[in-house]
């Protein structure tokens, strides 16, 4: 089906859709069409009303509920199908709304932070070319550089911790562990994902941070090193479960074929299973990186909250601020341009993580295609 | 799979050598344990252990261990011990050893001999190169034991010679000052050497070759799995240990000790007192309270979860049905999949920002329970879609065909065949998803918030709050439009409020840990229920 869709041109696709719509109109009876039409119109106007902050949003919504109720009794199949189509579309709508609103809110500060390059004014460029964040005293500057630096530091440390341990644990669960041990370890990894990030942060704040200050003789509390370790621990379950799924998609026949020529199971893993699942495992690491970038509460509680770049750049013993903790710490007293600057941080986070998510989906899709499974 | 390789290949009598390797693994385990004990300050570096100064004991053990590993490699090389080594120790080992020797050589050259960059870089490159060559050029037996053993022996000698004493501090000389102290470096080095030599000894125990590599790798992988479970248990146990005293403060059991509750039915009110008084989960914070608690936050979390589930579950399940049953695979389903996966990985704080920009202006221009519910609902939605879809795809097509053969419509098939069959999977997914969002702080930070110490009068009463009004939007519920507290937010507020703010809570620290424990208990109970449900349904499916 997908191939047929790829080979036909845009005009043909459109013609096919128009034909099917006509068929639908011709084969459905008048009253059902009216109900469906009223439902669609009412829902659409309720949505528009909600977007425009109208107090009368509830009127078209009530009409929609009424039409849906009537349709449910008379034409259940058709109504259910329309409702489900609406629900499916709503996932896309929510993503689009998120994109629209966080971009829209960040526009004013981008205009404020414009710089001219070769006579052309580039909005927002100054946020990335100088390292000062100062929301109080003049000149007021909202630079994202210190926070990007912090996020990169935390993410790199978290990945260094979580990737090898996560892949090893996935191998253990998928290939090595005897069944009773797996039944014990697998829920354990899931529960590790379930511990709320604020609890990780609280333990880090009360136990790890003072300990680190003492051990490394640093001034004050908060180090990128231990925030990275804690965030790595939180990204670990994501890597384990996705990598385990990838290892499980490698067909059993490949493994058995290798074992049949007399290899040990470890040789089978390193020379057959891991290379075959390589793309899936790297998608797992990518998703883990995405989790680490977006982790908020542990970083907020454990970091110092002073937006500056550590000195020297690779000084992991001082933890200043990340993109996520900047938002969580400053939303309260921020308004105007500063609030918009927080939205810029949100945009950077959102775009980075979305690119990572789409990239890892592409990798997984290619892997499934390679093994001839369901794409 | 593991059964296929369990047959022992017959080797000539190597019991003594195997025993030596096993003892070496044992010493590595002891060093590993001692290293961690020293890291958590269970044993003092300056003190004594079984009659010896700790540092001397660690150094001596490292020297013995390194010596044993190197001797085993040499013995295998000169055919004293019969093994099956391969021509080289492998690429991973070569890279690791080259790195270890590079770093070690660099530190020795720059710190011990005080060389500048021009001096230490060539020295580090030289030692790194030697490490690489020793790993790759001789056979596997020398290649995987000598570099590891030598590291352990050298580290042991450094400890013994007092070059790094128990009080040493290595100032890094950075602008933002930091130092590596002996009480950090010595445990870390010990644990690292224990891992390195333990791996080499396990390889030797397996007689090198394919079996040896398997033994070495399995040691590390089992250790890793064990460590993950240990971390999990210690986190939960630590929270439990710190939180229990505050949680059970003032608990009383007996007739009529609890707070008074009223049940009203058809106009008749019936008041009674609960037989249990548990102040921490039944009280708010108040001046007159003997014991303070977090009841408003618990109720807030409850309503948040209910709201998010009511919003996200119908939407998500509907979308999953449409995607699996109605939609043709093509551009549209692909876009929806990308969108759901994108929503799944969107950082929680971005949801918070979105709720702040989108929901708050539309619900009374202030932080409110309703905004919090919907924001968490947006977060829950992709999880519900993904898990319900998986559950529905797992329903065999024969079910659908059999139903269609009876001549019923597609919708009837879905309603009475597909949905019931997929229900266990959907329910499990929803429960696990709820566990995830119940502990989220970041999204409600910007949309709902609440106070640090919340009085009991602020407990949300959503059901009682509905009222009809004459002006649009005609239905109002002030309870929904007010900010209330929730457990994760309250914990965050308690942490950031610091030690100074105590409300009139007698012991703020105990109060914080008890809040953390309640939050952990609420979230983990969702997970426990979800995991048990899945286990139960899977077993039932297996036996059918």
């Amino acid at each position: 089906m997908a191939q047929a869709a790829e080979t036909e041109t845009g005009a043909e696709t459109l013609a096919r859709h128009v034909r099917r719509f006509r068929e639908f109109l011709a084969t459905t009876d008048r009253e059902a069409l009216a109900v469906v039409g009223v439902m669609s119109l009412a829902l659409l106007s309720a949505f528009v009303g909600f977007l425009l902050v109208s107090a009368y949003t509830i009127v078209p919504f009530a009409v929609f509920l009424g039409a849906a109720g009537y349709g449910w009794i008379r034409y259940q199949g058709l109504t259910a199908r329309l409702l489900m189509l609406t629900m499916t579309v709503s996932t896309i709508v929510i993503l689009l709304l998120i994109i629209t609103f966080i971009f829209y809110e960040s526009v004013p500060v981008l205009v404020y932070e414009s710089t001219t390059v070769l006579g052309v004014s580039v909005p927002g460029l100054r946020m990335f070319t100088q390292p000062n964040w100062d929301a109080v005293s003049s000149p007021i500057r909202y630079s994202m550089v210190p926070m990007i630096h912090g996020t990169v530091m935390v993410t790199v440390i978290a990945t260094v911790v979580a990737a090898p341990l996560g892949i090893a644990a996935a191998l253990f669960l998928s290939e090595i562990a005897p069944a009773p041990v797996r039944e014990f370890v697998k829920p354990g990894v899931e529960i590790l994902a379930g511990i709320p990030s604020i609890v990780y942060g609280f333990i880090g704040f009360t136990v790890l941070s003072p300990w680190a200050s003492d051990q490394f003789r640093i001034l004050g509390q908060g180090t990128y090193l231990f925030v990275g370790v804690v965030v790595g621990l939180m990204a670990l379950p994501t890597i384990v479960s996705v990598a385990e799924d990838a290892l499980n998609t490698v067909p059993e026949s490949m493994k058995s074929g290798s074992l049949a020529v007399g290899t040990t199971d470890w040789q089978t893993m390193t020379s057959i299973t891991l290379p075959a699942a390589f793309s899936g495992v790297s998608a797992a690491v990518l998703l883990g990186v995405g989790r680490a970038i977006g982790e908020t509460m542990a970083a907020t509680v454990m970091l110092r909250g002073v937006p500056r770049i550590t000195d020297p750049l690779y000084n992991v013993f001082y933890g200043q601020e990340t993109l996520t903790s900047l938002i969580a710490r400053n939303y309260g007293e921020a308004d105007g341009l500063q609030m918009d600057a927080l939205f810029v941080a949100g945009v950077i986070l959102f775009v980075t993580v979305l690119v990572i998510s789409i990239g890892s989906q592409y990798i997984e899709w290619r892997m499934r295609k390679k093994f001839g499974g369901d794409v | 799979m593991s059964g296929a390789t369990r047959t022992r290949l017959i080797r000539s009598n190597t019991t003594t050598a195997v025993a030596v390797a096993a003892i070496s693994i044992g010493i590595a385990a002891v060093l590993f344990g001692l290293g961690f004990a020293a890291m958590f300050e269970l044993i003092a570096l300056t003190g004594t252990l079984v009659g010896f100064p700790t540092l001397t004991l660690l150094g001596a053990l490292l020297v013995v261990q390194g010596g044993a590993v190197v001797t085993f490699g040499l013995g295998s090389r000169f055919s004293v011990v019969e093994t099956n080594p391969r021509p080289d120790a492998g690429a991973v080992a070569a890279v690791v050893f080259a790195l270890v020797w590079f770093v070690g050589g660099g530190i020795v050259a720059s710190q011990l001999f005080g060389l500048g960059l021009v001096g230490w870089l060539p020295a580090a490159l030289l030692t790194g190169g030697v490490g690489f060559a020793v790993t790759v050029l001789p056979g596997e037996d020398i290649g995987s034991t000598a570099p590891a053993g030598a590291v352990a022996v050298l580290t042991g000698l450094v400890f013994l010679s007092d070059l790094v004493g128990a009080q040493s501090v290595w100032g890094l000389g950075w602008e933002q000052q930091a130092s590596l102290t002996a009480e950090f470096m010595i445990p870390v080095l010990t644990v690292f050497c224990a891992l390195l030599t333990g791996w080499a000894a396990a390889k030797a125990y397996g007689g090198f070759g394919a079996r040896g590599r398997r033994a070495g790798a399995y040691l590390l992988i089992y250790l890793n799995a064990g460590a993950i479970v240990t971390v999990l248990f210690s986190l939960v146990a630590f929270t439990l240990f710190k939180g229990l005293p505050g949680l059970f403060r003032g608990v009383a059991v007996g007739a009529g000790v609890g707070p008074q509750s009223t049940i009203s039915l058809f106009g008749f009110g019936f008041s009674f007192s609960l037989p249990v008084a548990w102040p921490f989960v039944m009280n708010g914070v108040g001046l007159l309270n003997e014991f303070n608690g977090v009841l408003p936050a618990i109720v807030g979390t409850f309503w948040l979860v209910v709201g998010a589930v009511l919003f996200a579950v119908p939407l998500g399940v509907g979308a999953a049905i449409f995607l699996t049953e109605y939609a043709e695979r093509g551009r549209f389903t692909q876009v929806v999949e990308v969108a759901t996966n994108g929503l799944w990985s969107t950082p929680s704080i971005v949801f918070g920002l979105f709720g702040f920009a989108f929901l708050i202006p539309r619900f009374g221009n202030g932080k409110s329970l309703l905004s919090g519910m919907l924001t968490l609902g947006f977060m829950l939605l992709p999880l519900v879609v993904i898990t319900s879809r998986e559950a529905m795809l797992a329903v065999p097509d024969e079910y659908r065909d059999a139903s269609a053969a009876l001549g019923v419509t597609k919708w009837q098939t879905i309603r009475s065949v597909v949905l019931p069959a997929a229900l266990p999977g959907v329910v499990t997914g929803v429960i696990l998803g709820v566990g995830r969002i119940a502990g989220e702080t970041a999204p409600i930070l910007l949309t709902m918030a609440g106070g640090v110490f919340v009085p009991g009068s602020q407990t949300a009463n959503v059901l009682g709050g509905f009222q009809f009004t004459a002006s649009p939007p005609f239905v109002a519920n002030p309870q929904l439009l007010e900010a209330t507290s929730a457990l994760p937010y309250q914990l965050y507020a308690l942490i950031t409020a610091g030690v100074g703010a105590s409300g009139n809570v007698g012991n703020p620290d105990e109060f914080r840990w008890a809040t953390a424990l309640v939050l952990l208990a609420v979230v983990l109970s969702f997970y426990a229920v979800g995991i048990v449900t899945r286990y139960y349904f899977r077993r039932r499916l297996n036996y059918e």
Side-chain angles (χ1 to χ4, degrees):
Chain A
M1 204 70 212
Q3 255 145 23
E6 273 162 29
T7 48
E8 68 187 2
T9 64
E12 277 167 352
T13 320
L14 188 68
R16 193 164 54 92
H17 282 299
V18 170
R19 202 167 55 238
R20 279 180 39 192
F21 187 64
R22 285 228 182 99
E23 270 170 31
F24 170 74
L25 287 186
T27 52
T28 320
D29 76 69
R30 286 287 165 88
E31 197 189 336
L33 278 181
V35 171
V36 168
V38 169
M39 270 170 70
S40 317
L41 276 179
L43 192 63
L44 203 64
S45 39
F47 180 64
V48 172
F50 190 64
L51 278 187
L52 298 177
V53 203
S54 158
Y56 290 93
T57 305
I58 196 155
V59 177
F61 192 69
V63 172
F64 164 75
L65 285 184
Y70 180 73
W72 188 260
I73 297 163
R74 291 292 306 272
Y75 312 98
Q76 206 179 68
L78 189 65
T79 314
R81 190 168 172 176
L82 181 74
L83 283 177
M84 280 162 204
L85 176 65
T86 318
M87 290 162 176
T88 314
V89 173
S90 72
T91 56
I92 304 176
V93 171
I94 289 173
L95 193 68
L96 289 179
L97 281 176
I98 293 180
I99 296 175
T100 321
F101 273 85
I102 62 173
F103 272 89
Y104 176 75
E105 295 282 337
S106 62
V107 167
V109 77
L110 288 178
V111 174
Y112 173 76
E113 292 278 0
S114 319
T115 326
T116 36
V117 180
L118 305 170
V120 186
S121 171
V122 184
L125 188 62
R126 201 170 59 199
M127 303 183 101
F128 305 98
T129 50
Q130 58 86 28
N132 288 328
W133 168 282
D134 194 337
V136 184
S137 57
S138 182
I140 288 176
R141 288 288 177 267
Y142 302 107
S143 170
M144 287 292 139
V145 178
M147 277 62 83
I148 293 174
H149 171 252
T151 298
V152 169
M153 295 281 270
V154 169
T155 310
V156 167
I157 295 167
T159 313
V160 168
V161 171
L165 301 189
I167 295 171
L171 263 182
F172 178 77
L173 286 177
S174 139
E175 310 288 323
I176 298 174
V181 179
R182 180 172 29 230
E183 292 295 328
F184 180 67
V185 176
K186 202 172 152 59
V189 172
E190 274 173 318
I191 287 176
L192 205 56
I195 297 179
S197 62
I198 188 72
V199 174
Y200 277 107
F202 185 43
I203 294 176
F205 173 77
T206 47
V207 180
L208 275 182
S209 289
W211 183 77
S213 299
D214 185 40
Q215 296 275 312
F216 300 116
R217 309 276 161 87
I218 47 182
L219 302 173
Q221 285 189 9
T223 71
Y224 282 140
L225 182 64
F226 282 98
V227 176
V229 170
V230 169
V231 170
L233 204 58
M234 296 163 74
L236 190 70
T238 309
I239 298 186
V240 176
S241 63
V242 180
E244 197 205 341
D245 285 346
L247 291 171
N248 284 336
T249 44
V250 177
E252 194 59 42
S253 56
M254 286 172 76
K255 301 173 194 167
S256 312
S258 163
L259 289 172
V261 296
T263 61
T264 60
D265 44 7
W266 176 244
Q267 278 175 314
T268 306
M269 276 176 241
T270 49
S271 41
I272 306 289
T273 317
L274 266 183
F278 182 75
S279 45
V281 172
S282 42
V285 174
L286 267 183
L287 283 176
V289 169
R291 277 264 166 258
I293 291 177
E295 181 39 53
T296 312
M297 294 327 291
T300 311
V301 175
M302 289 174 71
L303 290 177
R304 289 155 193 259
V306 184
R308 61 170 281 198
I309 297 179
T310 55
D311 191 3
L313 265 186
Y314 48 83
N315 189 345
V316 291
F317 299 111
Y318 282 77
Q320 305 292 351
E321 193 84 300
T322 63
L323 288 167
T324 49
S325 67
L326 177 81
I327 303 173
R329 205 188 307 277
N330 291 307
Y331 75 95
E333 63 264 31
D335 55 354
L337 279 181
Q338 193 186 352
M339 193 67 213
D340 299 336
L342 301 187
F343 275 92
V344 174
V347 168
I348 298 173
L349 282 171
F350 179 72
V351 171
T352 318
V353 173
L354 193 66
V355 167
I356 287 176
S357 156
I358 292 176
S360 65
Q361 280 178 67
Y362 178 70
I363 293 173
E364 281 183 327
W365 173 76
R366 267 195 19 197
M367 177 167 165
R368 277 201 301 259
K369 213 169 136 183
K370 191 169 81 184
F371 290 124
D374 198 13
V375 179
Chain B
M1 167 132 183
S2 52
T5 53
R6 202 160 288 157
T7 340
R8 238 174 186 292
L9 292 176
I10 295 167
R11 285 195 279 159
S12 56
N13 188 9
T14 51
T15 38
T16 331
V18 167
V20 170
I23 290 171
S24 178
I25 296 176
I27 301 178
V30 169
L31 279 168
F32 191 77
L34 285 180
F36 268 100
M39 182 121 51
F40 295 119
E41 288 157 23
L42 296 176
I43 54 175
L45 290 176
T46 44
T48 55
L49 210 64
V50 288
F52 300 99
T54 311
L55 205 55
T56 315
L57 186 73
L58 284 180
L61 274 177
L62 279 172
V63 171
V64 170
Q65 166 74 345
V69 168
V70 174
T71 316
F72 199 98
L74 290 173
S76 157
R77 183 69 179 167
F78 296 111
S79 304
V80 183
V81 184
E82 196 169 330
T83 53
N84 322 301
R86 305 181 55 183
D88 65 85
V92 179
V95 171
V96 170
F97 283 139
L99 268 179
V100 168
W101 279 89
F102 176 84
V103 173
I107 289 177
V108 168
S110 62
Q111 297 306 313
L112 201 58
F113 300 114
L115 301 175
L117 179 71
V118 192
W120 72 255
L121 192 64
L125 283 175
L126 183 73
T127 50
V130 169
F132 187 80
V134 173
T135 318
V136 174
L137 292 181
E140 190 187 16
D141 41 8
I142 294 285
S144 52
T145 54
V151 169
V153 170
L154 288 178
T155 314
L157 287 179
V158 166
F159 289 178
L160 285 178
S161 66
D162 233 22
L163 272 177
V164 177
Q167 306 291 345
S168 306
V169 175
W170 173 22
L172 293 170
W174 287 341
E175 180 71 29
Q176 288 178 310
Q177 47 182 291
S179 318
L180 293 177
T181 55
E183 67 240 50
F184 178 74
M185 290 310 290
I186 289 174
V188 165
L189 280 174
T190 310
V191 168
F192 180 72
C193 288
L195 283 177
L196 217 56
T197 53
W199 169 78
K203 243 180 144 175
Y205 180 80
F208 303 106
R211 292 174 50 84
R213 287 180 188 203
R214 178 179 184 274
Y218 272 35
L219 178 80
L220 294 185
I221 287 182
Y222 266 92
L223 205 59
N224 173 45
I228 290 177
V229 176
T230 313
V231 166
L232 169 74
F233 271 97
S234 40
L235 282 179
V236 175
F238 187 69
T239 316
L240 210 61
F241 170 72
K242 295 283 257 184
L244 277 181
L247 182 60
F248 286 113
R249 177 140 304 201
V251 170
V253 183
V257 294
Q260 208 168 60
S261 310
T262 310
I263 296 179
S264 37
L265 267 179
F266 310 113
F268 294 102
F270 172 60
S271 289
F272 64 97
S273 289
L274 291 173
V276 184
W278 190 351
F280 195 78
V281 301
M282 290 177 174
N283 283 353
V285 173
L287 269 177
L288 301 175
N289 284 351
E290 191 181 353
F291 303 105
N292 292 302
V294 290
L295 176 69
I298 295 175
V299 174
T301 293
F302 171 77
W303 282 116
L304 271 180
V305 166
V306 168
V309 166
L310 283 182
F311 172 78
V313 170
L315 221 55
V317 175
I321 295 176
F322 188 84
L323 286 174
T324 37
E325 305 296 325
Y326 286 112
E328 289 171 11
R329 279 184 179 275
R331 223 10 78 75
F332 177 66
T333 51
Q334 262 181 7
V335 170
V336 175
E337 260 174 49
V338 170
T340 35
N341 285 328
L343 276 179
W344 179 78
S345 49
T346 300
S348 50
I349 190 81
V350 174
F351 278 104
L353 278 176
F354 170 63
F356 179 82
F358 179 67
L359 294 175
I360 285 191
R362 284 165 180 77
F363 294 123
N365 246 332
K367 294 183 178 180
S368 61
L369 181 58
L370 188 58
S371 308
M373 285 173 174
L374 287 180
T375 313
L376 287 184
F378 291 145
M379 277 196 76
L380 183 59
L381 178 65
L383 272 165
V384 176
V385 175
I386 292 170
T387 48
S388 322
R389 215 172 152 212
E390 266 170 24
M392 279 170 211
L393 285 174
V395 176
D397 271 342
E398 289 90 62
Y399 285 27
R400 299 185 178 93
D401 295 345
S403 168
L406 295 174
V408 300
T409 64
K410 190 157 194 169
W411 168 242
Q412 280 167 317
T413 304
I414 294 169
R415 207 183 55 181
S416 31
V417 177
V418 179
L419 271 184
L423 198 63
V426 176
V427 170
T428 315
V430 169
I431 295 173
L432 290 179
V434 165
R436 188 183 173 81
I437 59 156
E440 279 289 353
T441 319
I444 56 173
L445 206 62
L446 279 85
T447 50
M448 195 176 91
V452 183
F453 297 103
V454 189
S457 60
Q458 281 187 23
T459 309
N461 177 13
V462 173
L463 286 184
F466 279 105
Q467 49 195 254
F468 292 96
T469 55
S471 63
F474 307 117
V475 184
N477 188 341
Q479 294 281 347
L480 275 179
L481 294 182
E482 255 171 34
T484 178
S485 193
L487 284 169
Y489 178 79
Q490 176 139 27
L491 181 57
Y492 172 69
L494 285 169
I495 296 172
T496 47
V499 191
S502 61
N504 68 325
V505 173
N507 187 343
D509 203 43
E510 205 172 59
F511 194 77
R512 292 197 287 184
W513 278 107
T515 311
L517 180 59
V518 172
L519 173 64
L520 195 68
V522 167
V523 171
L524 290 193
S525 57
F526 277 116
Y527 271 80
V529 171
I531 289 169
V532 169
T533 321
R534 188 180 56 199
Y535 189 70
Y536 171 73
F537 280 121
R538 202 177 47 200
R539 263 179 44 154
R540 222 182 57 173
L541 284 180
N542 281 347
Y543 286 125
E544 262 172 10

